[in-house]
Amino acid sequence: MKLFKETKKKLESYPISNKLINNYTYRTIISASISFLVNAIFAVYNCFLGITTASAWFVTMSFYYLLLGYMRLYSVLSARNESGMNTYEKKQKEHQLMKHIGVTLLFLTFALIGTVVLTITQKHIRAYDTIVMLTIATYTFYKITLAIINFIKVRKHNSALLTTIRNISIADASMSVLPLQSSMIASFDNTMKDMHLMIVLTGSGICVIFLWLGVSMIMKSKRKKRVLLIHTQKIKITERVE
């Protein structure tokens, strides 16, 4: 414990590491930037496999990662462009960001539907040995756990930016369940009929999550924008009276 406190104190003496430790917004943006790079790599990799193997499944996955990476990059750039803005301008920009990402999430639903259909029709399901499956399962549950933790943390902050980045992570974590489930069934249960049913049910559930996230973000951005406008008008009226 003493070593941990001393290490933390040492890290807090440096500006960048201090912001990473104590600034949740900054930490979230850095995490989103790293996730964008991972998404970009997967998008290029799947695109390459799709072209070389003439596989629609890989092309669809490339489109999925492309949209996912785009949402994260757009959010990070929006956060960086907020410097120099007043409070009203920042909130207005964040509400526009939330609406834009909400619409993009609706388009991401089509990529998910395509993935589910092609997984079943092209039988694009791979079986792995136990060690690999445990590794994939551990990473997937880590993403889900982290998404849940961030969901709880963001509720304490009244930030449309953090809510947007959080919802992108929830969508990403939800999607990761689908390939995990397919691989687990293929590795430990070869009943193809049950496999197809489970993929359809899981895919449908994830589609509902994507649609709920997208629609709720669009509606919330409109509501917050309207409240912000009313609040600003009240301030202007008060200033005129004074």
Side-chain angles (χ1 to χ4, degrees):
M1 182 63 70
K2 185 178 179 180
L3 178 62
F4 173 77
K5 289 182 178 180
E6 290 178 353
T7 304
K8 183 181 178 182
K9 187 177 180 180
K10 181 67 176 177
L11 290 173
E12 287 178 339
S13 63
Y14 300 100
I16 295 178
S17 55
N18 181 51
K19 287 183 72 176
L20 281 171
I21 293 171
N22 299 311
N23 191 322
Y24 179 72
T25 301
Y26 181 77
R27 192 164 63 247
T28 301
I29 293 172
I30 292 298
S31 176
S33 302
I34 296 172
S35 297
F36 157 71
L37 293 175
V38 175
N39 295 152
I41 292 171
F42 273 103
V44 173
Y45 175 69
N46 280 279
C47 182
F48 172 77
L49 290 178
I51 294 172
T52 55
T53 62
S55 171
W57 188 88
F58 281 117
V59 173
T60 304
M61 287 302 297
S62 176
F63 177 68
Y64 164 77
Y65 283 114
L66 184 66
L67 281 180
L68 196 64
Y70 164 76
M71 289 191 293
R72 281 177 164 140
L73 178 63
Y74 192 89
S75 300
V76 170
L77 293 179
S78 294
R80 291 189 62 181
N81 293 335
E82 285 184 357
S83 58
M85 294 182 179
N86 57 42
T87 303
Y88 173 77
E89 290 173 336
K90 284 183 179 180
K91 288 187 176 294
Q92 190 177 44
K93 189 173 182 62
E94 287 184 359
H95 298 155
Q96 291 173 350
L97 167 67
M98 178 178 281
K99 180 180 178 181
H100 181 77
I101 297 302
V103 172
T104 308
L105 272 170
L106 298 182
F107 282 101
L108 196 66
T109 307
F110 292 103
L112 172 60
I113 294 172
T115 302
V116 172
V117 172
L118 291 171
T119 297
I120 295 174
T121 57
Q122 295 187 0
K123 296 181 175 59
H124 209 288
I125 303 169
R126 295 186 61 182
Y128 299 97
D129 58 42
T130 304
I131 296 177
V132 175
M133 279 308 312
L134 287 174
T135 303
I136 296 173
T138 301
Y139 177 65
T140 301
F141 284 116
Y142 163 77
K143 288 175 66 175
I144 294 172
T145 303
L146 193 62
I148 294 173
I149 292 174
N150 288 329
F151 177 83
I152 296 171
K153 284 185 176 180
V154 169
R155 290 174 67 90
K156 300 176 183 178
H157 302 263
N158 186 23
S159 171
L161 172 65
L162 293 178
T163 300
T164 300
I165 295 176
R166 175 205 68 184
N167 287 353
I168 296 172
S169 297
I170 291 175
D172 186 18
S174 301
M175 177 63 176
S176 64
V177 174
L178 186 61
L180 170 65
Q181 181 198 58
S182 303
S183 299
M184 287 186 70
I185 296 175
S187 301
F188 305 118
D189 186 359
N190 294 321
T191 308
M192 189 61 67
K193 183 178 179 181
D194 293 340
M195 183 187 300
H196 289 172
L197 177 61
M198 290 300 294
I199 291 173
V200 170
L201 291 176
T202 303
S204 300
I206 299 172
C207 280
V208 171
I209 293 174
F210 280 19
L211 291 172
W212 171 72
L213 288 173
V215 172
S216 65
M217 288 173 72
I218 294 170
M219 298 301 293
K220 191 173 183 179
S221 67
K222 289 183 178 180
R223 185 172 65 253
K224 284 183 172 290
K225 190 175 181 179
R226 186 167 57 251
V227 172
L228 180 63
L229 182 61
I230 294 172
H231 179 68
T232 305
Q233 289 174 343
K234 286 182 179 179
I235 293 176
K236 288 182 179 180
I237 294 172
T238 304
E239 290 176 348
R240 288 175 184 175
V241 172
E242 292 176 354

